[in-house]
Every structure is written in structure tokens, then in C-alpha cells.
Amino acid sequence: MNYYRSFVSSLFVLLLIGSAFAQDYFLKDQGPFDPNIPTPEQFLGYGIGEHHTRHDRIVAYLDRLAEVSDRATIERYGMTHEYRQLVILTITDPSNHSNLTSIKDQHLAAVDPNSTTDLSNIPIFINLGYNVHGNEPSTSEAALLTAYTLVASQSDEVKNYLQNAVIFIDPTLNPDGRDRHSSWANTYKGNPLVKDPLDAEHNEMWPRGRTNHYWFDLNRDWLLGINPESRGKLNWYHSWYPNVVTDFHEMGTNSTYFFEPMKAIASKDPIMPKENYTTLNDTFAEYFKEDLDKIGSFYFTKEVFDGTYPGYGSSYPDLQGGLALLFEQASSRGHAQKTRMGDITFAFTIRNQYITSLSTIRASVENKAMLYNYQRDFFKSAISNARSTNVKGYVFGDDHDANRVRDFVDKLLLHRIKVYQLDGRVTAGGKRFNPGKAFVVPTDQPQYRMVQTMFETYREYSDSVYYDASAWSVVNFYNMQYAPLTSNFKRGAEVTGKDIERSTFNLQRTEYAYLIPWEDYYAPALLNGLHQSGVRVNSAFKPFSIQVQGGVKNFGYGTLVVPVSKQAISSDSLYQVLKSQSDKYGIEISSASSGYSASGIDLGSRNVRTLEPPKALMWIEGGVSSYEAGEVWHLLDTRVEMPITKVPLRMFNWVDLNDYNVMLMVSSSYNELDSAKRRKISDWVKDGNTLITSRSATAWAINKKLVSEELIKEEKSEDEKKKKEAPTRKPYVDAPYNSGKKEVGGAIFQVDLDLTHPLAFGYKNSKLPVYRNSEVWLAPSKNSYSTVAKYTSNPHIDGFISDENMNKFLKPSASLIVSRLGSGRVIMFADNPNFRGSWYGTNRLFLNAIFLGQHVYVPSE
């Protein structure tokens, strides 16, 4: 017993020593601290930096702080795909807490251009956001230290912060990714620590922890608002409009630390006020350099990172009257790792993030008046800018696809853009827009800069090198018919979320056939629902007109035909299935009592073909792009509700390909597939199955001679080959700029569709925007009937592309072709039709490939 007591006492002393060391390393000069507030170490049982903290333990600690302190409250603002909680810890002086509703109302006056409320005596609102990339873990650990400091410190400095600021700590923007990475790092952690960069701890397996459940990069999702993490945060954001927002990240191990200013915005005429990226950035930079210099940390600014794309956590708030701040810390990628400049430890990476968290608060409090003036001026200038432009608004809509229009309206409302019903028919830009099918967005509104972001397109830029995309006109993502309005227009009622709920229709029973239009975005989902319910479904490969309830109606390519007498289920059961699917997806189903058409094919035509349910397999792991694979998985899971089998390439030899009729190959080099495996895929396609490839997977299929198609490559003439002149001498420093011009980092172009081809069924307009962010230049098919989508003669819509890439490669190339292989076919996308889960316009091409591809016949010539 005496030995046991001695052991426990010794252990307690060691814990105290460890805790004291941790407090000295991280918390020096921040005390004294309230002993009634548990430190992170006391709560977790280990020191910060000694272990990667799971998200549930992070939330539990913040819950504890809110429980024991009158400085803190906690709220849940959302849930991840994997049901982890998204939380905000609000920290301020107790007197502010008791009056927070009133303070919030006064604060929100800053975003009202018509308000004259005095803002001089209200606290500044600061949102500290951490860990949007799950495998950048120092950020959430720093959040714990920051929360503890603000709740427990009794220093005059911290008390001043709390009296003059309301601080919102969002500890983990991507809990699913964080826990995936934390589990990896903790599982492979050695004792003693292994610092060798080749150790498993420092090298996560595919898909790694950067992304969320569906392998989306959430730091690109603020604008697109696809995932629940982003939608929850956006709804929270627009209820508070913080003045300052931080975005903490990690970067390569052999780097240092980055804080803003960023490199110059690549847009020629940025819509963000210049004061944001000059005066405000420069003011805050003085605080960051002062505090990092004190602890001897090295850093850099004005390089590498830019805020051109408006969908980052470090750029979106800039378009909401706030100051968004990016921080990047060299990562230890584990607990300790060897670098060229010595060892980098997890604790070291956390300390820099913690220090700049406090710097941000200090800078915000000391520049409160400037930040509030900027926020108020931002929204006032939005109105004045809108009134100075010739564009009074935008009209948009689609007569044939109400659900795609609804989803676009939902995106506008998510960003608090005001949308109105169209009051009367409008013709603009050579297009006709009809009431009930179209909407208008006035430019004269506080969110004018977001209206610009959604609708405006650009072709001139000040730079050719981008950290991300150069085009983001979201209206084109949705293939939305739209036009600017340059004169005053009538608008109807303002649209709310309730106005865009899916419609329900009266389904009339029939004993002959039901007809479902293929033009609606969710028609493939409805088809999948019918297949899952055992319903036999046909597709019309030619248009027709036929008598249905209410008169003769026109039906286009791809119309689903459900014959009642050919079913294995009863007429009553069939009706209930159809009614359920119609209500679920808001798609009207028509009833026909005869198969005889008024024009076009009859319902018994050989051009009405029975659709085989797809059984899809997608290769993952290895060098496969987790982003693209995740986009496919997300599309099929969340919108189509169709199961897809995700098979690691290492399991190739275990797979019986005959269990599947559709194979998906997204971008990868596929070096794991040797000649025998490639032959196995080829034989499977020849047996009548469908292989779908995108981007570099398309290049792989061509380069490995799986198909007899070609890529467009730069070829030198015989005279050029004979010349052996030395290349033109250029400055070394210009190499990144010149090489950047050769890349297509993300731009929008127009293709021409063959509307009669099954892969284009459902489209009404042959001109379609597509997104390109690769240099896979696909030559039109050698078969005259197989080039489904080709770039037009004047394809540019939005974004940067060099003249050489435009004229030499893009204009002559195809975006989508089909190549015959035995009795099967290979459907090849040069582009990514599912980019970031947002390309509603080209999703249809991809879904047609899955659901109709089995019936694509490549005619001989």
C-alpha cells in the first residue's frame, strides 16, 4: 500500500510538472488563471501537443467551459454527414452575455445600409475558425488553448478583450476529416516518437483526413454550400456577420508560417474594396509580426496564397463586410518530424496558431472603430455601386426543369441574396422568360457583390497563376438560362424558402402506361427509385406527342415509359410506387390510356427501349483523385440515392467484374493496372458493358490503347524539328508565371451538344457550359456519330486561358465522346462533369452515361 501511494504521488508530481511546462510553453504571460477552470491538460489527461484530440473530446471540453464559467456559452449549429456536432463557443464578458440579444441587434445595424445606429459603444464580433482541413490538426488544439485563455485568464488584457469583443470559437469546421486523421496519427504514434518522414505516422493512407465524409474540400465550399458543414456555418454566419474571421491551416513540413497580406488578387477589377487587402491587412500584419518575432518564429507574407476565389473561409467573409484572415503553419504531420531545419514538433505548430489567435483578438479590439466603419461602408458602397451600373438585375429560369431552378434559387437564398417572382413575360438577351418559370434578382440590394459573384463573367486578369479556380459564375454551374436587365422591370413577391418547396401533382390512374419527362434534374433519381422498387421502365429514344389527361402533350428524348401490363407487380402497387416517387422528387407523371401517338413514335416502337438497372463499380485508392471519386459518391448517394460499390485498386484481383455493368474511372494514372488487368477490363467492356472515364482517366484509356481514339498534342513541323537553335533566354524568376499560363486552373467554356444522342437526352439547348481544370485535350471521335459534346468556335464563358491553349488545343477538341469496344462502349469525359458537387448542368451528362449508357449504340460507318 505504501508503494502504491508513493507511485501515485510520484505520478501526480510528474503530471504537475508536465502541466507547468505546457502552461509555460503555451500560456506564458497570459495569467494568472482561475484555478476553478480546468486546463485542457487536466480535462483531457494529456498535455496539448502530446496527442491528437478527438472531436468529441474537444466538444466535451468546450461544454465543460460553458458549464463552469459565466464568460462562455455553447451552441450547436449543425451536424456532419457522420453525425458529429458542429459547435460555436461564445466568449465575452458576463455583462455582454446578459445583453447579447440587444448587442447583436445593434451590431447587425452595420450591415443595413439605411441604418444610422451608433456603433461606437458595442463590442467587436470575432469568429475564430479552425480545422477546415481535417489533417491540419494544430488548429483545433490551438482553439482549446485559446478558449481556456479567454475563459480562465484574470489578466487585465484578457478582461479588456472580453469587455470589447464577442468571440466565437468554431473549434473544428471539419470534424469527420479531423477524426479520420487523428485516429491515424494516434494509431501510428511511436514511444519514443519516430521523427523519420518515411514513418507511417507521417504518411496517411488514401483518402487522408483533409476532406469530409464524401472527400470534399470544405475550404472550397463556402460559396457552393453543398455540404451540411458549410450550410450550417453559412446560416450561422448570416445571423451574426462577424467583423473578423480567421481561417487556420497547415502547409508543407519544410515551410515556416504564413499570414496575410496575400499575393495580389488575380482579378483585373476585384469587387472587394481595396481597403480590405491594403489598410486592414497591413494593420493586422503589424500585430502578427510583433508577436511571432517575440517567440522567434519565422514567417512569410504576400506570396503563394491568393484570395481570388470567393469560396474560401479566408475570402467569403471579405464579401460580407468582414476581414477574413488566412494563416498557414508548416505541419509536423504527426507528433514530431525531421526537417531540413531540424525537428518540428506538434506542440510548436500549435503554439504559432495559438499566438496569432490572440494577436487577432488584440488587433480587432484595438481597431474596433476602423472595422465597424469598414463594415458599414461596405454595405453602403454595395448599394451605390449597384446604382452606378447599367445592369439593374438578372432574370433567370427554365421552362422544363423546375427542380434545377429551385436548387439554384436555394443557393441564392443561402447567401441572403434577394430573389423575386417574375411579374410578366420578359424577353432579354434573345431569350424568353415566363412567369411561374423564372425569377429576377435586382442588383440594388445589400448583397450586390454576391450577385456579381453569382452572375458576372470575366475574361481579363492581372495574373495567370491561381491558387484555385479563375471562374465561379455559379449561374453557369447550373446551366441556367439567364440575362442581364438594363432597364427597370416589374417584380413580384419576394421569394422565401417556403416558395421553393417541391411541388406535388395529382397522378391519374391508368391501366396502360405512365409517362415521365426526362428533362427534370431529378428524373434519374426517380428512375432509380422505380428500379429499386422492381418497376420495369422503358425510355423513348425519339420524341412523340400523345393524348394524356388534359390533352395532347409533347414528350422529348429520353421520356420514361412505364407500361402497366408488363410489370411483375400489381397495378395498385405500381400506382403507389409512382405516386410516392412523384411526390418525393416533385416531378409530374402523365397517364396515357393508349399507345397510339398524335405524332412521332408510338409507345410500342422499337425506339422505346427497356432500361437495365445500373450496377456500378468505382475504383478508389492508389493514385485515384479522392475529390473526383467523392463527387461521384456524393451525387449518387445524396441526390440519386443509388448505391455504388467503391473498390480499392489493391483488391482488383478479387473482383468478379461480371457482377457489374457500369465501371467508373475518375482521374488517376492507374499505374496499378498492368497489361493483364487492362485486358480484363477490355474484355469486360467487349461483353457489352459500359466504362465511363473522366479527365486523366480518359487520357489513360487512350494512351493504353484501350480505345482507338486520340488526344490533341503539340506537334512540331518538320522545319521546327530540323532547327536546333537554342531556346530564347528568359529570367529564372519568371518560370512560375510562364508555366502557369500553360495550365487551365479552372475556367468555364461552351460546348455544342448533339441533342439526339442518348447521353444528351433531357437537354433542350445545344449550348452547354462546362468546367475545365485540366490539360486533357480530347480529339473528336473518329466515328461521325460519337462526338456528343464539342467545344464551340467561340467557347470562352468565364475564367483564364492562354491564347495558345484556346486556339491550339481547346477549340479543336471534344468534351465528351463515346468509343465502341466490342459489344460495349467507353464513354470519355475530357472534363469533370461533377466538379465540387455543384455542376448541376453537366451532372445530367454523367447520369445519362450511367442510366442510358448501356443502350448507347455506336453506329458503324
Side-chain angles (χ1 to χ4, degrees):
M1 180 65 73
N2 289 336
Y3 171 80
Y4 176 75
R5 285 176 178 167
S6 176
F7 172 77
V8 170
S9 298
S10 299
L11 181 61
F12 181 68
V13 169
L14 287 172
L15 286 172
L16 286 177
I17 293 172
S19 180
F21 170 78
Q23 291 211 21
D24 186 56
Y25 184 69
F26 293 116
L27 306 174
K28 185 180 179 182
D29 301 328
Q30 300 301 331
F33 293 96
D34 183 347
N36 295 312
I37 306 297
T39 67
E41 293 85 348
Q42 289 169 339
F43 184 86
L44 297 170
Y46 54 84
I48 292 292
E50 295 175 6
H51 197 67
H52 285 61
T53 306
R54 294 195 322 262
H55 178 66
D56 64 306
R57 300 294 291 149
I58 292 171
V59 173
Y61 180 63
L62 299 189
D63 276 333
R64 182 64 177 155
L65 293 182
E67 180 183 327
V68 300
S69 173
D70 58 0
R71 293 181 178 180
T73 60
I74 193 166
E75 67 173 300
R76 271 73 173 160
Y77 69 82
M79 192 85 74
T80 72
H81 286 292
E82 296 177 12
Y83 302 105
R84 292 182 175 88
Q85 296 176 346
L86 296 162
V87 303
I88 293 276
L89 186 73
T90 302
I91 307 174
T92 189
D93 187 84
S95 63
N96 290 333
H97 265 303
S98 64
N99 197 31
L100 195 54
T101 300
S102 175
I103 292 173
K104 179 182 180 181
D105 289 342
Q106 294 176 71
H107 166 81
L108 292 178
V111 305
D112 180 358
N114 299 314
S115 174
T116 57
T117 300
D118 180 13
L119 304 173
S120 60
N121 295 318
I122 62 170
I124 199 77
F125 282 23
I126 306 165
N127 176 206
L128 302 178
Y130 302 88
N131 216 168
V132 71
H133 290 149
N135 60 358
E136 299 174 1
S138 63
T139 59
S140 288
E141 309 287 346
L144 295 178
L145 290 170
T146 304
Y148 171 70
T149 301
L150 296 174
V151 170
S153 176
Q154 301 302 303
S155 71
D156 291 340
E157 187 175 29
V158 169
K159 288 180 179 179
N160 178 55
Y161 295 163
L162 300 184
Q163 289 168 1
N164 289 283
V166 178
I167 302 156
F168 305 98
I169 294 181
D170 191 336
T172 319
L173 287 153
N174 179 11
D176 294 349
R178 178 180 177 85
D179 277 2
R180 189 160 65 241
H181 173 262
S182 294
S183 176
W184 179 274
N186 291 334
T187 296
Y188 286 94
K189 174 186 173 184
N191 186 17
L193 299 178
V194 179
K195 302 173 185 177
D196 188 336
L198 295 178
D199 187 71
E201 180 187 0
H202 312 304
N203 297 278
E204 292 173 89
M205 287 288 286
W206 196 100
R208 295 168 284 280
R210 177 183 177 92
T211 52
N212 76 342
H213 172 79
Y214 283 110
W215 310 330
F216 275 61
D217 185 336
L218 293 179
N219 196 40
R220 307 298 188 271
D221 202 38
W222 281 68
L223 175 65
L224 306 176
I226 296 298
N227 293 277
E229 299 94 335
S230 308
R231 293 182 70 87
K233 186 58 186 279
L234 285 166
N235 283 322
W236 178 90
Y237 188 97
H238 285 284
S239 69
W240 290 95
Y241 287 96
N243 301 87
V244 178
V245 180
T246 63
D247 187 21
F248 286 94
H249 288 264
E250 291 183 6
M251 55 184 164
T253 299
N254 286 295
S255 191
T256 57
Y257 194 79
F258 172 86
F259 58 83
E260 298 198 29
M262 295 185 183
K263 63 177 287 194
I265 294 175
S267 301
K268 184 179 178 182
D269 298 304
I271 61 176
M272 186 196 312
K274 188 175 181 180
E275 183 184 354
N276 180 288
Y277 52 90
T278 55
T279 305
L280 297 185
N281 267 175
D282 292 344
T283 298
F284 274 65
E286 291 296 317
Y287 291 82
F288 303 141
K289 78 179 183 65
E290 178 184 341
D291 289 347
L292 290 171
D293 285 346
K294 284 180 183 176
I295 60 173
S297 283
F298 283 78
Y299 49 82
F300 67 97
T301 64
K302 303 179 288 291
E303 296 180 80
V304 183
F305 304 102
D306 69 65
T308 305
Y309 173 63
Y312 302 128
S314 58
S315 59
Y316 182 85
D318 289 328
L319 296 179
Q320 300 298 329
L323 173 64
L325 296 167
L326 173 68
F327 301 93
E328 295 271 356
Q329 165 64 50
S331 178
S332 61
R333 286 288 186 266
H335 296 85
Q337 189 175 166
K338 204 183 304 180
T339 77
R340 293 191 295 264
M341 293 294 291
D343 296 344
I344 185 171
T345 65
F346 192 27
F348 172 81
T349 67
I350 294 166
R351 184 173 65 161
N352 282 342
Q353 310 276 38
Y354 167 65
I355 291 296
T356 49
S357 294
L358 297 181
S359 304
T360 300
I361 297 171
R362 181 163 66 94
S364 300
V365 168
E366 293 182 7
N367 294 280
K368 183 174 71 168
M370 179 173 66
L371 290 166
Y372 264 121
N373 287 336
Y374 172 78
Q375 189 173 45
R376 170 163 274 173
D377 290 344
F378 178 92
F379 286 100
K380 286 185 175 181
S381 67
I383 298 297
S384 60
N385 289 354
R387 291 174 180 172
S388 67
T389 182
N390 290 329
V391 177
K392 305 303 180 186
Y394 293 91
V395 58
F396 66 89
D398 192 299
D399 287 348
H400 305 282
D401 190 350
N403 277 319
R404 181 162 46 85
V405 177
R406 286 190 189 98
D407 283 3
F408 180 59
V409 173
D410 171 74
K411 193 59 50 70
L412 299 176
L413 297 180
L414 181 65
H415 296 293
R416 303 311 189 261
I417 295 171
K418 292 183 179 296
V419 183
Y420 296 85
Q421 301 282 353
L422 181 63
D423 185 14
R425 180 177 293 177
V426 170
T427 299
K431 304 163 190 170
R432 178 180 292 178
F433 300 89
N434 297 309
K437 303 288 186 178
F439 300 85
V440 290
V441 172
T443 53
D444 190 353
Q445 59 173 297
Q447 288 292 353
Y448 170 60
R449 289 185 175 90
M450 287 306 299
V451 174
Q452 291 180 282
T453 299
M454 293 288 173
F455 289 95
E456 289 187 353
T457 58
Y458 305 92
R459 61 173 63 245
E460 294 185 27
Y461 297 85
S462 62
D463 198 350
S464 63
V465 181
Y466 302 86
Y467 193 70
D468 196 80
S470 67
W472 48 81
S473 49
V474 179
V475 68
N476 286 303
F477 289 31
Y478 283 74
N479 184 30
M480 197 61 55
Q481 294 294 305
Y482 75 104
L485 299 172
T486 55
S487 58
N488 293 328
F489 55 90
K490 291 182 180 180
R491 61 193 188 198
E494 184 174 351
V495 176
T496 67
K498 192 168 184 180
D499 297 321
I500 58 171
E501 293 176 356
R502 287 178 181 167
S503 304
T504 56
F505 300 93
N506 179 39
L507 177 58
Q508 181 176 310
R509 294 183 64 125
T510 181
E511 295 301 319
Y512 194 81
Y514 295 96
L515 307 176
I516 307 166
W518 191 244
E519 289 83 4
D520 194 278
Y521 179 81
Y522 288 99
L526 189 150
L527 171 59
N528 177 68
L530 297 181
H531 278 154
Q532 298 293 325
S533 300
V535 176
R536 293 170 181 157
V537 185
N538 301 330
S539 176
F541 275 48
K542 287 187 177 181
F544 60 93
S545 299
I546 200 167
Q547 179 75 38
V548 295
Q549 79 279 8
V552 174
K553 188 174 181 179
N554 297 325
F555 292 90
Y557 288 101
T559 296
L560 301 181
V561 179
V562 183
V564 178
S565 63
K566 301 296 184 182
Q567 302 299 326
I569 60 177
S570 69
S571 174
D572 288 343
S573 296
L574 176 63
Y575 175 83
Q576 293 302 325
V577 169
L578 288 164
K579 184 70 171 74
S580 173
Q581 292 296 312
S582 173
D583 290 345
K584 181 176 183 177
Y585 294 109
I587 298 176
E588 184 176 14
I589 299 177
S590 298
S591 305
S593 58
S594 170
Y596 190 74
S597 68
S599 64
I601 62 172
D602 297 319
L603 299 189
S605 166
R606 66 180 62 186
N607 285 298
V608 178
R609 302 174 189 175
T610 302
L611 298 180
E612 181 181 358
K615 293 173 286 185
L617 169 152
M618 177 172 63
W619 301 113
I620 62 170
E621 293 192 2
V624 171
S625 167
S626 60
Y627 292 150
E628 286 186 43
E631 289 154 5
V632 170
W633 181 22
H634 176 271
L635 173 67
L636 296 180
D637 254 26
T638 66
R639 295 186 197 150
V640 184
E641 298 186 17
M642 174 190 139
I644 180 171
T645 302
K646 304 174 293 299
V647 182
L649 282 164
R650 55 187 161 81
M651 295 176 61
F652 187 95
N653 291 331
W654 302 354
V655 178
D656 183 352
L657 295 182
N658 293 320
D659 291 339
Y660 309 93
N661 56 19
V662 176
M663 181 185 297
L664 305 173
M665 298 181 74
V666 299
S667 287
S668 176
S669 63
Y670 291 102
N671 292 330
E672 301 87 350
L673 301 179
D674 58 23
S675 59
K677 292 173 180 175
R678 296 196 298 270
R679 193 180 311 113
K680 185 176 178 181
I681 292 174
S682 178
D683 291 344
W684 172 83
V685 175
K686 290 176 181 177
D687 283 342
N689 296 300
T690 301
L691 171 62
I692 303 170
T693 63
S694 61
R695 295 177 76 237
S696 63
T698 291
W700 170 85
I702 293 172
N703 291 332
K704 296 301 181 183
K705 309 299 182 185
L706 201 71
V707 293
S708 58
E709 304 291 352
E710 295 179 353
L711 298 171
I712 297 175
K713 296 181 179 179
E714 184 171 12
E715 293 186 6
K716 295 182 178 180
S717 66
E718 290 301 318
D719 289 340
E720 288 175 316
K721 291 177 182 177
K722 290 176 183 178
K723 289 180 180 178
K724 295 185 178 180
E725 298 176 4
T728 303
R729 189 165 174 252
K730 299 176 182 178
Y732 178 81
V733 73
D734 291 342
Y737 173 81
N738 291 327
S739 62
K741 289 197 295 185
K742 297 178 181 179
E743 299 176 357
V744 183
I748 302 172
F749 304 98
Q750 185 186 71
V751 299
D752 181 75
L753 290 175
D754 175 3
L755 295 178
T756 71
H757 197 286
L759 296 185
F761 282 2
Y763 289 98
K764 290 292 187 179
N765 189 334
S766 65
K767 300 302 184 284
L768 176 71
V770 300
Y771 188 83
R772 168 169 280 273
N773 62 345
S774 78
E775 293 76 54
V776 176
W777 310 110
L778 180 60
S781 176
K782 297 175 181 179
N783 186 297
S784 301
Y785 304 101
S786 293
T787 300
V788 184
K790 186 183 183 304
Y791 287 97
T792 62
S793 59
N794 185 24
H796 183 271
I797 294 177
D798 192 13
F800 175 82
I801 185 172
S802 69
D803 291 340
E804 181 181 22
N805 278 339
M806 171 69 83
N807 297 310
K808 214 180 225 187
F809 299 109
L810 186 75
K811 286 184 178 180
S813 70
S815 177
L816 173 60
I817 68 173
V818 184
S819 190
R820 184 175 176 180
L821 188 57
S823 298
R825 76 288 305 153
V826 182
I827 299 172
M828 290 173 281
F829 290 87
D831 308 307
N832 177 6
N834 307 309
F835 184 67
R836 291 183 180 164
S838 298
W839 271 82
Y840 277 61
T842 49
N843 283 158
R844 174 174 296 281
L845 292 173
F846 184 76
L847 293 173
N848 282 350
I850 291 176
F851 285 97
L852 304 180
Q854 289 294 94
H855 304 277
V856 171
Y857 170 66
V858 181
S860 300
E861 292 190 283

